[in-house]
Amino acid sequence: MTAHTRTIAAVVLAGAAMTGVVLAQGAGPAPQGQVPTPPAGGRGGDPGQRGAAPPGGRQGGGGRRGGFTQFTRELAPQDVLVRGKGLYEANCASCHAVDLRGGANGANLLRSGTALSDQHGELVGAAVAKHNPPLTLASTDTVAIAEYIHSIHATMSGQGSPPGRNPTGIELNLLVGDAQAGERLFTAFCSNCHSVTGDLKGVGSKFPDARALQNAWISGSGSAFGAGGGGRGAVGVGNPVTVTMADGSKLEGTLVRKDDFLVILMLPDGTRKVIARTNGVPKVDVTDPKAPHKRMVLELDDPQNRRMHDVTAYLWTIK
């Protein structure tokens, strides 16, 4: 390398070093009294891109904080809602429908962004002022209509379900049967296995409500009705099982596991037996202790479920 070449290389290296120092130090401080300009937000400096800071300098937060407006805004007094309902039906229902679902000449107010975002008539009032055909309404009337619409929005269910789809605050009364008729049915269908002075003594007081009691005795899932054994997906586990081998010999015990490839059972002496299965051999017969109960429920079945409610009403009296 000649002296001239070495000189050029040294100049280039010195320039690169100075550039690195300037970049590392960054921009200098803003002059006194001047607010530094923040970097543009988002990808490529576009404020509409992901990562852009919200306008106005507000950081964090989101529109969903506190829940949707229709569930968080305070409703108007009842007299305002009643007046708003009358005004809506007289002036709006012909186009937007009585149930707010709209029609050929009016938008669906259950999904209207203006109505959903409105607080106390501000946005609705502005929309009414530009309504075509014109509506002659006092501002207080417009507010009453808006508040009535809000009261309907407040009854909407999750996932945008319309009002009334999933009613809330309703208590179902299952004690609609005849307890005396239920006693006769219990004697005819249940007394061979159960007794209200034995295993079902005080059964009505063992459940928080009649619904839980009815679900338990119909499914046989409550401990009072012989429930037990088996976890999720463990069909028949814990029940008596008979395994018939290819030569006709049989093993009896308690089922631990059963699938297409093996069967595991616990023998009466406590021995755990694992047997491979091929094409359904050996044959496995699991005894369902609830089989009589299931047959009984089918025999009790009727189109109106009167028998079911009668038995529930009787068992609820056993306390």
Side-chain angles (χ1 to χ4, degrees), residues 68-71 73 75 88 96 100 107-128 142-143 145-154 156:
F68 293 108
T69 305
Q70 62 265 34
F71 302 130
R73 61 188 163 200
L75 296 181
Y88 176 87
H96 296 283
L100 281 67
N108 185 332
L109 297 181
L110 297 177
R111 299 180 178 179
S112 167
T114 299
L116 290 169
S117 301
D118 183 83
Q119 288 295 327
H120 297 291
E122 304 86 356
L123 301 180
V124 172
V128 170
T142 304
V143 171
I145 292 174
E147 296 290 3
Y148 168 66
I149 295 174
H150 298 167
S151 71
I152 302 301
H153 286 165
M156 294 171 64

Short mmCIF file of all heavy atoms in Angstrom, two decimals, residues 68-71 73 75 88 96 100 107-128 142-143 145-154 156:
data_model
loop_
_atom_site.label_atom_id
_atom_site.label_comp_id
_atom_site.label_asym_id
_atom_site.label_seq_id
_atom_site.Cartn_x
_atom_site.Cartn_y
_atom_site.Cartn_z
N PHE A 68 -69.08 -1.31 27.74
CA PHE A 68 -69.78 -0.62 26.68
C PHE A 68 -70.71 0.44 27.26
O PHE A 68 -71.28 0.28 28.34
CB PHE A 68 -70.59 -1.64 25.86
CG PHE A 68 -69.72 -2.58 25.09
CD1 PHE A 68 -69.61 -3.92 25.47
CD2 PHE A 68 -69.00 -2.14 24.00
CE1 PHE A 68 -68.81 -4.79 24.76
CE2 PHE A 68 -68.19 -3.01 23.28
CZ PHE A 68 -68.10 -4.34 23.66
N THR A 69 -70.89 1.49 26.46
CA THR A 69 -71.65 2.64 26.94
C THR A 69 -73.05 2.26 27.37
O THR A 69 -73.56 2.73 28.40
CB THR A 69 -71.73 3.71 25.83
OG1 THR A 69 -70.40 4.03 25.41
CG2 THR A 69 -72.42 4.96 26.32
N GLN A 70 -73.71 1.40 26.60
CA GLN A 70 -75.10 1.08 26.91
C GLN A 70 -75.26 0.38 28.25
O GLN A 70 -76.36 0.32 28.79
CB GLN A 70 -75.72 0.22 25.80
CG GLN A 70 -75.05 -1.15 25.60
CD GLN A 70 -74.02 -1.11 24.52
OE1 GLN A 70 -73.34 -0.10 24.35
NE2 GLN A 70 -73.87 -2.19 23.77
N PHE A 71 -74.16 -0.18 28.79
CA PHE A 71 -74.24 -0.86 30.08
C PHE A 71 -73.69 -0.01 31.22
O PHE A 71 -73.81 -0.41 32.39
CB PHE A 71 -73.47 -2.18 30.03
CG PHE A 71 -73.96 -3.12 28.96
CD1 PHE A 71 -73.08 -3.71 28.07
CD2 PHE A 71 -75.31 -3.40 28.83
CE1 PHE A 71 -73.52 -4.57 27.09
CE2 PHE A 71 -75.76 -4.27 27.84
CZ PHE A 71 -74.88 -4.85 26.97
N ARG A 73 -73.75 3.83 31.16
CA ARG A 73 -74.32 5.16 31.34
C ARG A 73 -75.54 5.07 32.26
O ARG A 73 -76.29 4.09 32.24
CB ARG A 73 -74.70 5.78 30.00
CG ARG A 73 -75.73 5.01 29.22
CD ARG A 73 -75.91 5.57 27.82
NE ARG A 73 -76.58 4.61 26.96
CZ ARG A 73 -76.55 4.63 25.64
NH1 ARG A 73 -75.85 5.57 25.02
NH2 ARG A 73 -77.18 3.73 24.93
N LEU A 75 -79.17 5.64 33.62
CA LEU A 75 -80.47 5.78 32.99
C LEU A 75 -81.26 6.93 33.61
O LEU A 75 -81.07 7.29 34.78
CB LEU A 75 -81.27 4.49 33.10
CG LEU A 75 -80.69 3.26 32.38
CD1 LEU A 75 -81.60 2.06 32.57
CD2 LEU A 75 -80.48 3.55 30.90
N TYR A 88 -91.51 8.36 21.27
CA TYR A 88 -90.89 7.50 20.26
C TYR A 88 -91.97 6.80 19.44
O TYR A 88 -91.89 6.76 18.20
CB TYR A 88 -89.98 6.46 20.93
CG TYR A 88 -89.41 5.47 19.94
CD1 TYR A 88 -88.24 5.76 19.25
CD2 TYR A 88 -90.06 4.28 19.66
CE1 TYR A 88 -87.72 4.88 18.31
CE2 TYR A 88 -89.56 3.39 18.72
CZ TYR A 88 -88.40 3.69 18.05
OH TYR A 88 -87.90 2.82 17.11
N HIS A 96 -88.73 3.36 12.35
CA HIS A 96 -87.70 2.60 13.05
C HIS A 96 -88.25 1.38 13.79
O HIS A 96 -87.48 0.66 14.42
CB HIS A 96 -86.96 3.51 14.04
CG HIS A 96 -86.21 4.62 13.38
ND1 HIS A 96 -85.00 4.42 12.75
CD2 HIS A 96 -86.50 5.94 13.22
CE1 HIS A 96 -84.57 5.58 12.25
NE2 HIS A 96 -85.46 6.51 12.52
N LEU A 100 -87.41 -1.00 17.73
CA LEU A 100 -86.17 -0.31 17.39
C LEU A 100 -85.35 -1.03 16.32
O LEU A 100 -84.21 -0.66 16.06
CB LEU A 100 -85.28 -0.08 18.62
CG LEU A 100 -85.62 1.09 19.54
CD1 LEU A 100 -86.92 0.88 20.26
CD2 LEU A 100 -84.51 1.35 20.53
N ALA A 107 -83.40 3.23 10.05
CA ALA A 107 -82.26 2.42 10.48
C ALA A 107 -82.60 1.61 11.73
O ALA A 107 -83.52 1.93 12.48
CB ALA A 107 -81.06 3.32 10.75
N ASN A 108 -81.83 0.57 11.93
CA ASN A 108 -81.94 -0.25 13.14
C ASN A 108 -81.27 0.50 14.29
O ASN A 108 -80.05 0.67 14.31
CB ASN A 108 -81.25 -1.60 12.91
CG ASN A 108 -81.44 -2.56 14.07
OD1 ASN A 108 -81.59 -2.14 15.22
ND2 ASN A 108 -81.41 -3.85 13.78
N LEU A 109 -82.07 0.96 15.25
CA LEU A 109 -81.52 1.75 16.35
C LEU A 109 -80.83 0.90 17.41
O LEU A 109 -80.15 1.43 18.28
CB LEU A 109 -82.63 2.59 16.99
CG LEU A 109 -83.28 3.62 16.06
CD1 LEU A 109 -84.34 4.41 16.80
CD2 LEU A 109 -82.23 4.55 15.47
N LEU A 110 -81.02 -0.41 17.35
CA LEU A 110 -80.30 -1.28 18.28
C LEU A 110 -78.82 -1.36 17.93
O LEU A 110 -77.99 -1.65 18.79
CB LEU A 110 -80.90 -2.69 18.27
CG LEU A 110 -82.36 -2.83 18.74
CD1 LEU A 110 -82.81 -4.27 18.60
CD2 LEU A 110 -82.52 -2.35 20.17
N ARG A 111 -78.49 -1.08 16.66
CA ARG A 111 -77.11 -1.15 16.20
C ARG A 111 -76.59 0.21 15.75
O ARG A 111 -75.49 0.29 15.18
CB ARG A 111 -76.99 -2.14 15.05
CG ARG A 111 -77.40 -3.56 15.43
CD ARG A 111 -77.27 -4.49 14.25
NE ARG A 111 -77.62 -5.86 14.59
CZ ARG A 111 -77.59 -6.88 13.73
NH1 ARG A 111 -77.23 -6.67 12.49
NH2 ARG A 111 -77.94 -8.10 14.12
N SER A 112 -77.36 1.24 15.96
CA SER A 112 -76.96 2.57 15.51
C SER A 112 -75.78 3.08 16.32
O SER A 112 -75.84 3.17 17.55
CB SER A 112 -78.14 3.54 15.65
OG SER A 112 -77.72 4.88 15.51
N GLY A 113 -74.69 3.44 15.64
CA GLY A 113 -73.54 3.99 16.34
C GLY A 113 -73.85 5.29 17.03
O GLY A 113 -73.35 5.57 18.13
N THR A 114 -74.72 6.11 16.42
CA THR A 114 -75.11 7.38 17.04
C THR A 114 -75.84 7.13 18.34
O THR A 114 -75.52 7.74 19.37
CB THR A 114 -76.01 8.18 16.07
OG1 THR A 114 -75.28 8.46 14.88
CG2 THR A 114 -76.46 9.48 16.72
N ALA A 115 -76.82 6.23 18.31
CA ALA A 115 -77.60 5.96 19.52
C ALA A 115 -76.78 5.28 20.60
O ALA A 115 -76.92 5.56 21.79
CB ALA A 115 -78.83 5.12 19.17
N LEU A 116 -75.88 4.37 20.19
CA LEU A 116 -75.07 3.65 21.17
C LEU A 116 -74.02 4.55 21.82
O LEU A 116 -73.69 4.38 23.00
CB LEU A 116 -74.39 2.45 20.51
CG LEU A 116 -75.30 1.30 20.10
CD1 LEU A 116 -74.55 0.30 19.24
CD2 LEU A 116 -75.88 0.60 21.33
N SER A 117 -73.50 5.51 21.06
CA SER A 117 -72.46 6.39 21.59
C SER A 117 -73.03 7.59 22.34
O SER A 117 -72.31 8.24 23.10
CB SER A 117 -71.57 6.90 20.45
OG SER A 117 -70.96 5.82 19.78
N ASP A 118 -74.30 7.89 22.12
CA ASP A 118 -74.94 9.05 22.76
C ASP A 118 -74.95 8.88 24.27
O ASP A 118 -75.07 7.78 24.79
CB ASP A 118 -76.37 9.17 22.23
CG ASP A 118 -77.09 10.39 22.78
OD1 ASP A 118 -76.90 11.47 22.24
OD2 ASP A 118 -77.82 10.23 23.79
N GLN A 119 -74.82 9.99 24.97
CA GLN A 119 -74.87 9.96 26.43
C GLN A 119 -76.24 10.37 26.95
O GLN A 119 -76.93 9.58 27.59
CB GLN A 119 -73.78 10.87 27.02
CG GLN A 119 -72.38 10.32 26.87
CD GLN A 119 -72.17 9.03 27.64
OE1 GLN A 119 -72.75 8.85 28.72
NE2 GLN A 119 -71.35 8.14 27.11
N HIS A 120 -76.62 11.60 26.67
CA HIS A 120 -77.91 12.09 27.16
C HIS A 120 -78.59 12.96 26.11
O HIS A 120 -79.04 14.07 26.39
CB HIS A 120 -77.73 12.87 28.47
CG HIS A 120 -77.20 12.03 29.58
ND1 HIS A 120 -77.92 11.03 30.18
CD2 HIS A 120 -75.97 12.01 30.18
CE1 HIS A 120 -77.19 10.45 31.12
NE2 HIS A 120 -76.00 11.01 31.13
N GLY A 121 -78.63 12.47 24.90
CA GLY A 121 -79.37 13.14 23.85
C GLY A 121 -78.56 14.04 22.96
O GLY A 121 -79.11 14.62 22.01
N GLU A 122 -77.27 14.22 23.20
CA GLU A 122 -76.47 15.14 22.40
C GLU A 122 -76.41 14.68 20.94
O GLU A 122 -76.71 15.46 20.02
CB GLU A 122 -75.06 15.26 22.97
CG GLU A 122 -74.99 15.69 24.43
CD GLU A 122 -75.09 14.52 25.39
OE1 GLU A 122 -75.28 13.38 24.91
OE2 GLU A 122 -74.98 14.73 26.61
N LEU A 123 -76.01 13.44 20.71
CA LEU A 123 -75.87 12.94 19.35
C LEU A 123 -77.22 12.66 18.71
O LEU A 123 -77.42 12.93 17.52
CB LEU A 123 -75.01 11.68 19.34
CG LEU A 123 -73.59 11.83 19.90
CD1 LEU A 123 -72.85 10.50 19.83
CD2 LEU A 123 -72.83 12.90 19.15
N VAL A 124 -78.13 12.12 19.48
CA VAL A 124 -79.47 11.85 18.95
C VAL A 124 -80.16 13.16 18.57
O VAL A 124 -80.82 13.27 17.52
CB VAL A 124 -80.30 11.06 19.97
CG1 VAL A 124 -81.76 10.94 19.51
CG2 VAL A 124 -79.71 9.66 20.18
N GLY A 125 -80.01 14.18 19.41
CA GLY A 125 -80.61 15.48 19.11
C GLY A 125 -80.07 16.07 17.83
O GLY A 125 -80.81 16.64 17.02
N ALA A 126 -78.76 15.95 17.61
CA ALA A 126 -78.15 16.46 16.38
C ALA A 126 -78.67 15.71 15.16
O ALA A 126 -78.90 16.31 14.10
CB ALA A 126 -76.64 16.35 16.47
N ALA A 127 -78.88 14.38 15.31
CA ALA A 127 -79.40 13.59 14.20
C ALA A 127 -80.85 13.96 13.90
O ALA A 127 -81.26 14.05 12.74
CB ALA A 127 -79.28 12.11 14.52
N VAL A 128 -81.65 14.21 14.95
CA VAL A 128 -83.04 14.60 14.76
C VAL A 128 -83.14 15.96 14.09
O VAL A 128 -84.02 16.20 13.25
CB VAL A 128 -83.79 14.60 16.12
CG1 VAL A 128 -85.18 15.23 15.98
CG2 VAL A 128 -83.91 13.18 16.66
N THR A 142 -86.62 15.48 22.59
CA THR A 142 -85.55 14.71 21.95
C THR A 142 -84.72 13.95 22.98
O THR A 142 -84.37 12.79 22.79
CB THR A 142 -84.64 15.64 21.13
OG1 THR A 142 -85.43 16.36 20.19
CG2 THR A 142 -83.58 14.85 20.40
N VAL A 143 -84.43 14.62 24.09
CA VAL A 143 -83.68 13.98 25.17
C VAL A 143 -84.47 12.81 25.74
O VAL A 143 -83.91 11.74 26.01
CB VAL A 143 -83.34 15.00 26.27
CG1 VAL A 143 -82.75 14.29 27.48
CG2 VAL A 143 -82.36 16.04 25.75
N ILE A 145 -86.68 10.94 24.20
CA ILE A 145 -86.62 9.84 23.24
C ILE A 145 -85.28 9.13 23.32
O ILE A 145 -85.20 7.89 23.33
CB ILE A 145 -86.88 10.37 21.81
CG1 ILE A 145 -88.32 10.85 21.68
CG2 ILE A 145 -86.57 9.29 20.78
CD1 ILE A 145 -88.63 11.52 20.35
N ALA A 146 -84.20 9.91 23.40
CA ALA A 146 -82.86 9.32 23.50
C ALA A 146 -82.73 8.46 24.75
O ALA A 146 -82.17 7.35 24.72
CB ALA A 146 -81.80 10.42 23.49
N GLU A 147 -83.25 8.96 25.88
CA GLU A 147 -83.15 8.21 27.13
C GLU A 147 -83.96 6.92 27.06
O GLU A 147 -83.56 5.89 27.61
CB GLU A 147 -83.64 9.07 28.30
CG GLU A 147 -82.78 10.30 28.57
CD GLU A 147 -81.42 9.96 29.14
OE1 GLU A 147 -81.10 8.77 29.27
OE2 GLU A 147 -80.65 10.89 29.45
N TYR A 148 -85.10 6.97 26.37
CA TYR A 148 -85.88 5.74 26.20
C TYR A 148 -85.11 4.73 25.37
O TYR A 148 -85.07 3.53 25.70
CB TYR A 148 -87.22 6.06 25.53
CG TYR A 148 -87.95 4.83 25.06
CD1 TYR A 148 -88.45 3.90 25.98
CD2 TYR A 148 -88.12 4.57 23.70
CE1 TYR A 148 -89.09 2.74 25.55
CE2 TYR A 148 -88.77 3.42 23.27
CZ TYR A 148 -89.25 2.52 24.19
OH TYR A 148 -89.88 1.37 23.77
N ILE A 149 -84.48 5.19 24.29
CA ILE A 149 -83.66 4.28 23.47
C ILE A 149 -82.53 3.69 24.31
O ILE A 149 -82.23 2.49 24.21
CB ILE A 149 -83.11 5.03 22.25
CG1 ILE A 149 -84.26 5.46 21.33
CG2 ILE A 149 -82.11 4.17 21.48
CD1 ILE A 149 -83.81 6.34 20.17
N HIS A 150 -81.91 4.51 25.16
CA HIS A 150 -80.85 4.00 26.04
C HIS A 150 -81.37 2.91 26.96
O HIS A 150 -80.66 1.93 27.24
CB HIS A 150 -80.28 5.14 26.88
CG HIS A 150 -79.64 6.22 26.07
ND1 HIS A 150 -79.30 7.46 26.60
CD2 HIS A 150 -79.27 6.27 24.76
CE1 HIS A 150 -78.76 8.21 25.64
NE2 HIS A 150 -78.74 7.51 24.53
N SER A 151 -82.59 3.08 27.47
CA SER A 151 -83.15 2.09 28.40
C SER A 151 -83.35 0.75 27.71
O SER A 151 -83.23 -0.32 28.34
CB SER A 151 -84.48 2.59 28.98
OG SER A 151 -85.51 2.60 28.00
N ILE A 152 -83.66 0.77 26.39
CA ILE A 152 -83.78 -0.48 25.65
C ILE A 152 -82.40 -1.08 25.41
O ILE A 152 -82.20 -2.29 25.54
CB ILE A 152 -84.49 -0.24 24.30
CG1 ILE A 152 -85.88 0.36 24.54
CG2 ILE A 152 -84.61 -1.54 23.52
CD1 ILE A 152 -86.79 -0.49 25.38
N HIS A 153 -81.42 -0.24 25.10
CA HIS A 153 -80.05 -0.74 24.91
C HIS A 153 -79.55 -1.44 26.17
O HIS A 153 -78.81 -2.43 26.09
CB HIS A 153 -79.11 0.42 24.57
CG HIS A 153 -79.28 0.94 23.18
ND1 HIS A 153 -78.78 2.15 22.77
CD2 HIS A 153 -79.91 0.42 22.10
CE1 HIS A 153 -79.07 2.34 21.50
NE2 HIS A 153 -79.77 1.31 21.07
N ALA A 154 -79.93 -0.93 27.33
CA ALA A 154 -79.42 -1.48 28.59
C ALA A 154 -79.91 -2.90 28.84
O ALA A 154 -79.35 -3.61 29.66
CB ALA A 154 -79.83 -0.57 29.75
N MET A 156 -80.06 -5.17 26.44
CA MET A 156 -79.47 -6.08 25.46
C MET A 156 -78.49 -7.03 26.13
O MET A 156 -77.83 -6.67 27.09
CB MET A 156 -78.77 -5.28 24.36
CG MET A 156 -79.71 -4.45 23.50
SD MET A 156 -78.86 -3.33 22.37
CE MET A 156 -78.02 -4.50 21.32
#
